[in-house]
Amino acid sequence: MIEAVGLTKRYGDKTAVYNLSFQVRPGAVTGFLGPNGSGKSTTMRMILGLDNPTAGRVTIGGYPYRKLPNAPRQVGALLDAKAVHGGRAARNHLLSLAQLSGIPARRVDEVLGVVGLQDVAKRRSKGFSLGMGQRLGIAAALLGDPQVLLFDEPVNGLDPEGILWVRNLMKALAAEGRTVFVSSHLMSEMALTADHLIVIGRGQLLADMSVKDFIAANSAGFARVRTPDTEPQLREKLASALAEAGGHVLPEQDGALRVTGLPLPRISDIAHETDVRLWELSPHQASLEEAYMRMTQAAVDYRSTVDQKAGLQQPLPPGAQPPLPVPGQGQPGWYAPPPPQQGGQPFAMPQGQPGAVPPGPYGAPSAPGAPEAAQANPYAQPGPQTAAQAAPQAPAAQPAPAAPAAAPQAQPPAAAPTAQSPASSPDETKPEDAR
């Protein structure tokens, strides 16, 4: 059993834990809850003798941790899954811990199998994922087969199968009569795992009771009543009758009624007496998360504000809007691109048209019927045959309506320097020109 009496811890002028007293009894999973900065980690460190309390005391089985004979055989703990030498293999890490505590080596292989790491026992822990690191930390806590176990966020990084495995493991350990103390922020998991709760806020005790009593003490049950949506007058009639009977009625967003102060049988009798049909009459009990939020709302230190995003999404100026590739629509210079099965390469504007874009340096295909010289790489020196072929094909590239205006542009820019001097030949192209 873990027992804390008047436990207090100060760091300079900051009080992390103040006058904290509680007991963690064997045979049950005890959840340790509280907001960030409430003192949970500091309390667990004082239990394990890693921090000395400023005042008060905490004992395990009646002794401080440091006075327990062969403490690793009696207490197992997981506080930080990353507190592992990354260069060691998983098995070697556990083996070194076992040798320090006089635990036989066969126990190392046993706990590796319990946590499911037997296949990666020879891998270095620095390559482990967060979930694998958590499993290795749990294996270290189980190594000495202790009667008292402390876990800080044991399901952090685990997948759903791993979370279920940890839940069942905690329950099995408690069923064997061990003391299991678990700190977690996952309310849904605590509701399924814990039998008893210790809740602290700003270093002080807020609650020490069973999960069922905690929910009942920090939430108000109510009945949810729903009448036919097509007959709103029935809902108003029933609401008036329930209010006259002493109930407190509040409308909900979906049209149902939330009723407190009256038991469900009485609500059913009132609906029958007023001749109102019911589509729903169900009890509602708050979840552990709702009860926890209500209990600790005044002890939260870090609260978020609304993100206004002011000035981060200014509209673009009118001229900065990117052009949309809209085909056709009677606009000069636009045309419908070929279907995907005919190409798949980016299409370019027709040469000689308003808004036409010259071919790219990597020979992007131009519009259908464009001269081959317009599609060639402008950084490669064309030969005489290319220039000769470009001249007779130039008139064919002009659409009929725009022929007079586009005639001066028919000759591609690269056609002018294509004629070579008699002293040169196509075979004498320089390497830098080829590039």
Side-chain angles (χ1 to χ4, degrees):
M1 182 177 69
I2 303 173
E3 183 178 14
V5 179
L7 202 59
T8 300
K9 180 62 178 179
R10 295 186 180 93
Y11 297 97
D13 58 352
K14 178 178 175 56
T15 301
V17 177
Y18 178 72
N19 196 27
L20 188 59
S21 299
F22 61 85
Q23 288 184 344
V24 183
R25 296 177 175 83
V29 178
T30 301
F32 194 30
L33 308 181
N36 287 333
S38 61
K40 299 190 305 298
S41 297
T42 301
T43 301
M44 299 187 86
R45 289 179 60 85
M46 288 190 289
I47 293 174
L48 296 172
L50 299 175
D51 284 345
N52 292 321
T54 306
R57 59 184 175 85
V58 57
T59 59
I60 302 175
Y63 297 92
Y65 180 86
R66 295 179 180 178
K67 293 185 178 180
L68 288 173
N70 200 350
R73 300 290 296 268
Q74 301 188 46
V75 182
L78 168 62
L79 296 188
D80 185 3
K82 297 181 180 179
V84 180
H85 193 299
R88 286 181 179 171
R91 189 179 187 280
N92 290 340
H93 167 68
L94 296 177
L95 186 59
S96 63
L97 297 178
Q99 291 174 344
L100 289 173
S101 304
I103 299 172
R106 67 175 182 275
R107 179 61 180 167
V108 173
D109 298 316
E110 291 176 0
V111 295
L112 282 171
V114 169
V115 301
L117 295 181
Q118 63 273 18
D119 293 337
V120 294
K122 296 183 179 180
R123 284 181 52 183
R124 294 185 179 182
S125 60
K126 66 180 180 181
F128 281 10
S129 65
L130 180 58
M132 295 169 67
Q134 289 289 111
R135 290 176 179 268
L136 182 59
I138 294 174
L142 299 176
L143 193 59
D145 193 24
Q147 289 297 310
V148 178
L149 293 129
L150 292 86
F151 298 99
D152 190 3
E153 300 289 350
V155 298
N156 187 24
L158 293 178
D159 56 14
E161 187 276 334
I163 293 175
L164 177 62
W165 165 73
V166 170
R167 184 193 311 159
N168 294 333
L169 175 66
M170 301 297 170
K171 291 182 178 181
L173 292 172
E176 295 173 357
R178 305 174 196 258
T179 301
V180 183
F181 196 37
V182 185
S183 171
S184 178
H185 286 119
L186 296 179
M187 296 299 107
S188 58
E189 192 57 34
M190 281 290 96
L192 297 172
T193 306
D195 305 299
H196 196 86
L197 292 178
I198 294 174
V199 185
I200 65 174
R202 293 179 178 169
Q204 301 183 53
L205 183 67
L206 299 181
D208 185 353
M209 59 187 69
S210 67
V211 175
K212 182 179 180 180
D213 293 342
F214 179 81
I215 294 175
N218 295 281
S219 63
F222 63 89
R224 177 179 166 86
V225 183
R226 189 179 185 88
T227 59
D229 296 336
T230 56
E231 301 176 80
Q233 69 278 6
L234 295 180
R235 180 173 65 243
E236 301 299 331
K237 181 180 179 181
L238 179 61
S240 300
L242 293 173
E244 292 176 0
H248 183 65
V249 183
L250 291 175
E252 295 193 334
Q253 293 183 353
D254 60 352
L257 298 175
R258 176 182 294 202
V259 183
T260 57
L262 293 174
L264 263 66
R266 180 58 179 151
I267 296 174
S268 177
D269 292 341
I270 294 174
H272 179 72
E273 293 169 2
T274 54
D275 197 23
V276 175
R277 292 182 297 121
L278 296 181
W279 278 7
E280 179 184 351
L281 177 58
S282 59
H284 178 84
Q285 185 69 36
S287 64
L288 175 60
E289 182 179 32
E290 293 171 337
Y292 168 81
M293 295 300 293
R294 183 174 180 178
M295 161 69 77
T296 61
Q297 60 183 345
V300 176
D301 292 327
Y302 309 103
R303 297 184 184 274
S304 175
T305 59
V306 178
D307 187 359
Q308 302 292 343
K309 298 184 176 66
L312 297 180
Q313 295 182 354
Q314 298 294 336
L316 294 175
Q321 297 291 340
L324 298 177
V326 180
Q329 305 299 330
Q331 301 178 14
W334 292 96
Y335 74 102
Q341 63 270 19
Q342 296 183 7
Q345 297 180 349
F347 61 89
M349 302 296 297
Q351 295 295 321
Q353 297 252 352
V357 181
Y362 300 104
S366 181
E372 293 180 1
Q375 303 180 23
N377 189 340
Y379 299 104
Q381 186 173 353
Q385 196 172 14
T386 305
Q389 292 176 351
Q393 293 179 357
Q398 308 303 322
Q409 302 179 10
Q411 184 69 18
T418 53
Q420 298 179 349
S421 62
S424 63
S425 64
D427 297 335
E428 297 175 353
T429 303
K430 296 180 180 179
E432 56 269 18
D433 295 334
R435 290 196 297 268

